[in-house]
Amino acid sequence: MAEKFYVSSDIVFGKDAAKELPGILKEYEAKSVMVVYDSGVKAAGIAEKILEQIEKADVKVTVFDGVIPNPTNEAVEEAAMLARENEIDVFVAVGGGSSIDLTKAVNILMTNPGEIGQYGGMGLVKNQVLPLIAIPTTAGTSSEITNVVALTDTKAVCKYVIIDNKIAANKVIADPEFTKTMPPSVTAATGMDAITHAVESYISNEATALTEYHSLKGLQIFHENLPKVYANGEDMEAREQMMLGCVIAGFGFSNANLGLVHGIAHTLSAHFHLAHGMANAAVLPYVMEYNADSCPEKMVKMAEAIGLSLSGNLQKDQYLLSEELLKLTKQLGIKTLSEQGIENKDFDMLAEDVLKEPVLGFNPKQNITKQDILNILKKAF
């Protein structure tokens, strides 16, 4: 049976990649550019470096620096209003997943009518969007090269996704130097987010030979290099490998989709504003343990790929990956759910909402029950 594999973005990768920005803006004949980033990107001095490059293109510049973690519909509408007022014709998103996702969402509203919430789901964006240049400053979300936007609906108290090939960034400027300012805790959380993408997409029931190749290679890169950059943020070789891994894994999960880990993490973030990577990391080992008997050969293949010692007993080896992921979360100082402020009394409500998450349809083990989710939450507590 024929299989599809979608890749959209042109990528400039490596040190000083940002110097390509003026030429790219001229290529698009940009006249009015919106630059989107958060307070952390500004404090790190990265925003200033990007704005210096944009000035060389002789364009009007509008800045939206009000990005918040887990961006909301309201934040998107606010930024979109500013973009319309300034007749923006090209967007530059600088930062992690929140900045890039918000920019993708704003871009949708520039050429498509109505409110952003109506585009939740797959393939609902009707009109082509404006040029978008994504400049990642973290190595985790892969938002810079995916066709996905994750937003928070504060009224429905849920996190939802927009998936559409039209919304992927046209150009990606990936400079590992921009990740150097991340503190160890952010490096750990975003790195575990990347590992989650690699693992969940590899075992997704939508996975193909093409996606599996990228997911597995991404996992190998992350497993080798994440502990290095956590221990030493100045290790630029490892930083570069992490950013490379995000691009590779992004190719995989944007085509294969994700699963139960993200279903739980979306719900945790919607209700308690947990950082996405930290929420993923807290439950990842236990979801992989839960999924193991539904795809034991793939679990063993991942364990083998990252150099774990196999016994030859499939029933035993299928749990090697989940055990290794638990060790890694402890090594990286990932907080348990209780340490992130979740209480036992929240479990019932969380479990019911997780069952409503669309990404569960891509999970290898189906017929997930409320009790299954409760068991995972208790282990992650």
Side-chain angles (χ1 to χ4, degrees):
M1 187 174 73
E3 298 172 342
K4 293 182 179 180
F5 186 84
Y6 178 79
V7 178
S8 173
S9 307
D10 290 336
I11 302 169
V12 182
F13 188 97
K15 184 174 172 56
D16 295 327
K19 291 181 179 179
E20 300 289 327
L21 186 53
I24 294 171
L25 291 173
K26 290 175 182 177
E27 176 186 330
Y28 285 128
E29 298 181 348
K31 295 180 176 61
S32 184
V33 176
M34 175 177 270
V35 187
V36 179
Y37 52 83
D38 62 20
S39 58
V41 168
K42 183 177 182 178
I46 296 172
E48 183 180 354
K49 292 178 181 178
I50 298 302
L51 290 170
E52 285 175 0
Q53 293 298 325
I54 293 175
E55 285 178 9
K56 298 176 184 178
D58 191 26
V59 295
K60 177 186 175 184
V61 178
T62 301
V63 170
F64 182 82
D65 58 3
V67 178
I68 57 174
N70 302 308
T72 62
N73 288 351
E74 290 83 359
V76 171
E77 300 289 347
E78 178 188 350
M81 184 180 300
L82 182 63
R84 293 190 197 100
E85 289 173 355
N86 289 277
E87 299 180 335
I88 299 302
D89 55 15
V90 176
F91 288 92
V92 178
V94 188
S98 294
S99 293
I100 299 173
D101 278 8
L102 181 138
T103 310
K104 288 180 186 174
V106 171
N107 202 9
I108 292 170
L109 296 183
M110 296 299 287
T111 57
N112 293 270
E115 298 181 347
I116 192 62
Q118 73 189 62
Y119 297 102
M122 297 183 69
L124 299 180
V125 178
K126 302 300 181 186
N127 303 319
Q128 192 60 47
V129 298
L130 301 174
L132 167 60
I133 304 161
I135 306 177
T137 62
T138 64
T141 69
S142 301
S143 182
E144 63 271 15
I145 51 93
T146 69
N147 57 354
V148 183
V149 168
L151 297 172
T152 300
D153 185 329
T154 56
K155 294 177 182 176
V157 194
C158 70
K159 199 164 183 178
Y160 69 98
V161 294
I162 301 169
I163 304 175
D164 198 293
N165 289 344
K166 296 183 187 71
I167 67 177
N170 304 89
K171 303 280 187 179
V172 177
I173 294 175
D175 186 342
E177 289 286 333
F178 290 158
T179 67
K180 192 164 62 173
T181 58
M182 282 194 298
S185 60
V186 177
T187 295
T190 55
M192 287 304 299
D193 188 20
I195 285 178
T196 304
H197 293 152
V199 171
E200 284 210 288
S201 58
Y202 186 72
I203 62 174
S204 165
N205 55 32
E206 292 284 309
T208 67
L210 278 167
T211 67
E212 288 171 357
Y213 173 84
H214 288 87
S215 301
L216 197 62
K217 184 61 179 178
L219 175 61
Q220 289 174 317
I221 292 171
F222 299 140
H223 184 262
E224 179 180 349
N225 291 282
L226 178 53
K228 293 179 182 178
V229 292
Y230 178 73
N232 177 16
E234 299 292 322
D235 186 340
M236 290 312 300
E237 182 178 348
R239 288 278 191 203
E240 183 170 317
Q241 285 297 305
M242 286 295 295
M243 184 163 272
L244 177 64
C246 281
V247 171
I248 292 171
F251 291 153
F253 90 79
S254 61
N255 284 276
N257 289 298
L258 302 165
L260 179 56
V261 179
H262 271 75
I264 296 174
H266 287 168
T267 307
L268 287 165
S269 295
H271 284 281
F272 300 103
H273 311 293
L274 267 61
H276 178 65
M278 197 67 80
N280 272 329
V283 300
L284 176 61
Y286 308 107
V287 175
M288 289 306 105
E289 179 186 35
Y290 168 76
N291 277 329
D293 62 2
S294 66
C295 50
E297 292 83 4
K298 280 194 166 185
M299 290 293 180
V300 171
K301 186 73 173 178
M302 286 189 285
E304 185 178 26
I306 59 175
L308 302 184
S309 298
L310 306 180
S311 70
N313 182 336
L314 184 63
Q315 299 302 313
K316 179 181 178 181
D317 290 345
Q318 66 185 353
Y319 296 108
L320 287 174
L321 180 74
S322 59
E323 292 166 2
E324 175 65 12
L325 291 172
L326 183 58
K327 291 178 187 174
L328 187 58
T329 59
K330 294 182 183 302
Q331 179 184 347
L332 298 175
I334 297 297
K335 295 179 179 179
T336 63
L337 292 183
S338 59
E339 290 171 336
Q340 295 185 62
I342 309 303
E343 299 181 28
N344 276 300
K345 65 181 179 61
D346 303 319
F347 286 177
D348 197 71
M349 173 273 295
L350 287 168
E352 289 188 4
D353 277 8
V354 170
L355 290 174
K356 302 171 188 175
E357 284 286 326
V359 291
L360 269 59
F362 305 111
N363 197 69
K365 182 178 283 191
Q366 289 291 291
N367 302 314
I368 300 167
T369 67
K370 180 179 176 181
Q371 189 58 52
D372 291 334
I373 297 166
L374 287 171
N375 291 342
I376 291 167
L377 291 173
K378 288 173 184 175
K379 288 181 177 181
F381 188 68

